[in-house]
Structures are given as C-alpha cells and as structure tokens.
Amino acid sequence: ASISPVSGKYPDPFDVTLTGSSVNMPVTVRYTLDGTTPTATTGTVYSTPINISTSKTVKAICVDSKGDVSDVVTNTYTIGLD
C-alpha cells in the first residue's frame, strides 16, 4: 500500500489517498486511523479519499486476490502550525 501525501505537519485539513498493487490483482486496501494495525479482516476498506481534519496516524495494508497481506505502511499527520 502507499499513502499520499507524505507524513508531516499541514496547516489545514486535507484528503489522503491510498493505493495498492500486487501481481495478484485485484487488491483491497484496508486502513486504520486510531493507531492500530489493519489486518486482512480488520480495518476500514478504502474506497474514497480520507479527510484528515485533526492530527492522525494512518496505517494501511493491501490484501491481494490470494489473501496475501502486504507490509504495513504508516504516515502521521499533524494539523495546524502551532
């Protein structure tokens, strides 16, 4: 899985996009916003960009058509410049 934009401090709310790929397409991308690690059966299935309006940690994985799970990708976002 990949998460865009990169981790960092942002002055205003924004949308995060998740993508995934595998030789065994199609893939399902699952994510969490509470710091827990998604699994093949837990986490929210990604379908539309995620609005980040408060500081959050996004963790994401891909699950391919064979059920194989990718490594976890983690990005942390801080909203506001104070």
Side-chain angles (χ1 to χ4, degrees):
S2 64
I3 305 172
S4 180
V6 298
S7 292
K9 225 175 194 185
Y10 293 84
D12 299 304
F14 60 94
D15 287 342
V16 167
T17 56
L18 308 179
T19 55
S21 64
S22 168
V23 294
N24 300 310
M25 294 297 277
V27 298
T28 300
V29 177
R30 289 185 172 267
Y31 70 93
T32 62
L33 301 175
D34 62 2
T36 61
T37 300
T39 69
T41 58
T42 65
T44 302
V45 174
Y46 177 77
S47 59
T48 60
I50 306 159
N51 185 262
I52 302 295
S53 59
T54 61
S55 297
K56 296 270 185 217
T57 296
V58 179
K59 292 187 176 189
I61 59 165
C62 287
V63 183
D64 71 16
S65 61
K66 293 172 97 179
D68 295 328
V69 179
S70 70
D71 291 336
V72 177
V73 178
T74 304
N75 280 19
T76 301
Y77 303 106
T78 303
I79 303 298
L81 296 177
D82 46 315

